[in-house]
Amino acid sequence: MEGVSDASLPPLPSSDRPDAAARLRNALLEASFTADGLLELLGAPAYAALARGETVPALRATRGDTALETLVRLFLLQQPVPRARVADVLPVGLCLETGWLTPAGADDLGSTVDVRPYGGPSGEDWFIVSDLGCAVGGAGGIGSRDEGVVLGVGGASTTLANITVRTPVMSALDVGTGSGIQALHASRHATRVTATDVNPRALHITALTLALSGAPAADLREGSLFTPIRHDETYDLIVSNPPFVISPGARLTYRDGGMGGDDLCRTIVQEAGERLNEGGFAQFLANWQHVEGEDWQDRLRSWVPRGCDAWIVQREVQDVTQYAELWLRDAGDHRGDPAEYQARYDRWLDEFEACKVKAVGFGWITLRKSGHAVPSITVEEWPHPVEQPLGETVRAHFDRLDYLRAHDDAALLEARFELAAEVVQEQVGMPGAEDPEHVVLRQTRGMRRATKVDTIGAGFAGVCDGTMSAGRILDAIAQLLGEDPVVLRDRTPTQIRLLVEQGFLEPAR
């Protein structure tokens, strides 16, 4: 991929010199240019500020002449550094020859790309490459000047990485790879990784990210969404953090998909079904419209392809004014001509008004290819805090669906259950009252759900330790409370089913 570049953007380092990437990687690691090293050098406040795109604290923390300070100023803060100082840390001749460094004045050198240390899930020292000024803090207005810019790691990138199911697979596909962070994660547990992007610069940068991180090369293909994928190619895992912003026009490649409304997100979800192997997962971040007179949950259910179960979680909703302002600021439009800013704001609101859009939702969409004639589709709103990573939580959700499909009410009563390890019980009521007004079961990890249960439900859950069948527990509760055991057995499976579905109870092993 030598020489791939956008004429309006700086040339990129060569991706055809793995020896150069390996030597550069070794030098970065030798200087502790890692996520842990950065935190130790900068301190928590400056490190957090850097993640927000604020560089002043980091500049103040790197006024010395250590190797790590030199690399932070060079690769993250885009400061020119004296050549002699760089030569003490990096193989300067090789880095100039392969385009990682460039002259910046008579005696200084500068970086041609941002390089951000990134800690992998098992302690790996990875590096995410992106365009200058795009390693941290989002676009920061860069996109308004350079349409083909490639961003580094943002909150959306890490969210998708954290919710992705990480079971070992033969094949994984990253649609709209950007800087390659999802492909990098997939390389840990997929034998073969394919990555697509409509922007050739993004594919080049993905190759750099993988090489500098010491990861295997991916099969990189240029094109929109699934266009580069042959009809006979299927995958065990598909991930995508697509350009999901709902905007009038496709001004910025990194965020605007070029389709009307939420059509891009709908298209990628619907087309993923035929690209999945049986049992495979497809996971996306997405935006969707809340249209006047339409149930947003029904809208999303209509996106789910045939043969797939789905779990869709809405994490946030913004009214159309908040949404327009967010993305206008993301592109830096608020810093430009006030009249042009107002005109662009008007165009966004005109577009939403014409489509009767009153708000925009953001969240996660997970598909699992199941082949069941009657799919299970869960669409819910969950704006509350969760504990990442959630990949195992997502996988377990679909395992529980399979279990419930295979067990009717009679089978549930014969089964044995265990209370999930992270569940605690809370009793809510007036101080001094003899009995609580209600009992709440709460998860302390994962989705951190809470559910209200009655006395019987609380008693049932508390006894579930895997030794007795559900039916025997209910019989004992009926005897204790003077209830009819037949009636109790008849009405309780619905509650058991809900507690299993939401992860409060687990089938005993």
Side-chain angles (χ1 to χ4, degrees):
M1 298 182 68
E2 182 81 52
V4 177
S5 65
D6 186 303
S8 67
L9 293 166
L12 293 171
S14 170
S15 61
D16 297 330
R17 290 288 301 273
D19 59 320
R23 286 188 62 187
L24 176 56
R25 171 178 171 78
N26 288 338
L28 298 179
L29 294 176
E30 180 69 22
S32 297
F33 187 65
T34 63
D36 289 342
L38 276 185
L39 182 58
E40 184 175 351
L41 170 68
L42 301 179
Y47 189 81
L50 192 61
R52 299 191 300 269
E54 297 292 344
T55 59
V56 172
L59 285 167
R60 292 174 60 85
T62 56
R63 289 178 290 193
D65 60 359
T66 67
L68 180 54
E69 287 169 302
T70 298
L71 294 176
V72 172
R73 294 179 73 84
L74 185 66
F75 285 119
L76 274 182
L77 302 178
Q78 286 84 61
Q79 300 296 305
V81 178
R83 178 176 180 137
R85 185 70 200 97
V86 179
D88 290 338
V89 186
L90 300 177
V92 167
L94 183 61
C95 289
L96 284 168
E97 177 189 343
T98 54
W100 288 95
L101 298 178
T102 188
D107 299 312
D108 291 343
L109 295 176
S111 174
T112 58
V113 288
D114 267 330
V115 177
R116 174 180 173 178
Y118 180 84
S122 297
E124 301 92 343
D125 289 316
W126 288 340
F127 301 97
I128 308 300
V129 180
S130 61
D131 273 310
L132 289 173
C134 297
V136 291
I142 288 284
S144 63
R145 300 193 300 274
D146 300 311
E147 190 215 332
V149 74
V150 179
L151 303 187
V153 178
S157 302
T158 54
T159 293
L160 179 59
N162 280 326
I163 67 172
T164 299
V165 176
R166 297 297 177 193
T167 52
V169 294
M170 285 298 297
S171 57
L173 172 63
D174 178 13
V175 180
T177 188
S179 61
I181 181 174
Q182 308 306 330
L184 181 57
H185 275 278
S187 70
R188 292 182 62 252
H189 63 101
T191 303
R192 174 173 57 90
V193 177
T194 302
T196 71
D197 205 291
V198 72
N199 183 3
R201 190 175 181 87
L203 296 175
H204 191 127
I205 283 180
T206 292
L208 298 175
T209 290
L210 294 173
L212 196 58
S213 299
D219 179 3
L220 305 176
R221 305 187 193 180
E222 182 181 346
S224 177
L225 303 183
F226 296 104
T227 303
I229 306 303
R230 297 194 312 268
H231 289 295
D232 61 343
E233 290 181 295
T234 54
Y235 296 85
D236 301 310
L237 174 67
I238 299 172
V239 293
S240 182
N241 176 20
F244 51 64
V245 178
I246 300 170
S247 65
R251 187 163 60 98
L252 303 175
T253 303
Y254 74 86
R255 72 170 199 194
D256 304 319
M259 297 185 188
D262 52 17
D263 283 351
L264 182 135
C265 291
R266 175 185 55 80
T267 298
I268 195 171
V269 172
Q270 289 182 335
E271 293 185 358
E274 62 186 29
R275 305 293 185 179
L276 275 178
N277 291 326
E278 193 73 19
F281 287 92
Q283 298 185 261
F284 315 99
L285 299 187
N287 277 184
W288 43 79
Q289 298 176 141
H290 285 231
V291 179
E292 186 177 342
E294 177 185 77
D295 187 316
W296 67 270
Q297 294 180 326
D298 289 342
R299 182 182 191 85
L300 291 173
R301 286 188 185 95
S302 73
W303 291 9
V304 178
R306 181 177 301 177
C308 290
D309 296 327
W311 183 19
I312 302 173
V313 182
Q314 180 168 272
R315 294 288 290 155
E316 184 180 359
V317 181
Q318 291 186 323
D319 67 49
V320 292
T321 59
Q322 291 175 308
Y323 189 80
E325 290 163 13
L326 169 66
W327 293 108
L328 287 168
R329 288 180 176 274
D330 180 81
D333 292 327
H334 62 300
R335 301 193 192 106
D337 177 31
E340 180 60 25
Y341 173 81
Q342 183 174 343
R344 284 179 173 159
Y345 198 151
D346 268 335
R347 284 197 291 273
W348 281 62
L349 296 186
D350 285 344
E351 180 91 359
F352 285 134
E353 186 177 341
C355 298
K356 298 184 177 180
V357 176
K358 58 184 180 179
V360 177
F362 169 82
W364 320 323
I365 298 177
T366 299
L367 307 177
R368 197 271 306 261
K369 190 71 169 284
S370 65
H372 288 286
V374 181
S376 171
I377 301 176
T378 301
V379 184
E380 62 176 323
E381 186 165 18
W382 191 254
H384 312 293
V386 299
E387 183 185 56
Q388 296 280 20
L390 280 172
E392 180 59 24
T393 299
V394 172
R395 185 201 60 76
H397 168 85
F398 289 92
D399 285 350
R400 292 193 300 269
L401 290 182
D402 287 343
Y403 177 87
L404 292 173
R405 273 196 183 104
H407 291 74
D408 60 15
D409 288 355
L412 279 184
L413 293 174
E414 293 298 319
R416 294 175 292 110
F417 298 97
E418 296 174 342
L419 188 66
E422 69 275 10
V423 175
V424 297
Q425 178 178 300
E426 299 175 359
Q427 296 187 356
V428 181
M430 295 296 295
E434 185 175 344
D435 296 311
E437 293 178 13
H438 58 264
V439 176
V440 173
L441 299 181
R442 187 179 302 276
Q443 299 168 353
T444 58
R445 304 189 65 184
M447 289 295 286
R448 293 180 173 170
R449 296 187 186 277
T451 187
K452 188 187 299 185
V453 292
D454 59 18
T455 303
I456 293 173
F460 178 85
V463 175
C464 283
D465 60 3
T467 60
M468 296 174 59
S469 70
R472 287 186 60 196
I473 293 174
L474 289 177
D475 290 344
I477 292 174
Q479 184 175 8
L480 182 65
L481 299 179
E483 295 257 1
D484 184 335
V486 175
V487 173
L488 201 58
R489 279 175 169 258
D490 186 56
R491 77 176 192 226
T492 307
T494 299
Q495 191 170 11
I496 296 174
R497 198 170 289 276
L498 179 63
L499 292 174
V500 172
E501 180 182 341
Q502 295 190 344
F504 291 95
L505 294 178
E506 298 173 346
R509 294 176 177 84

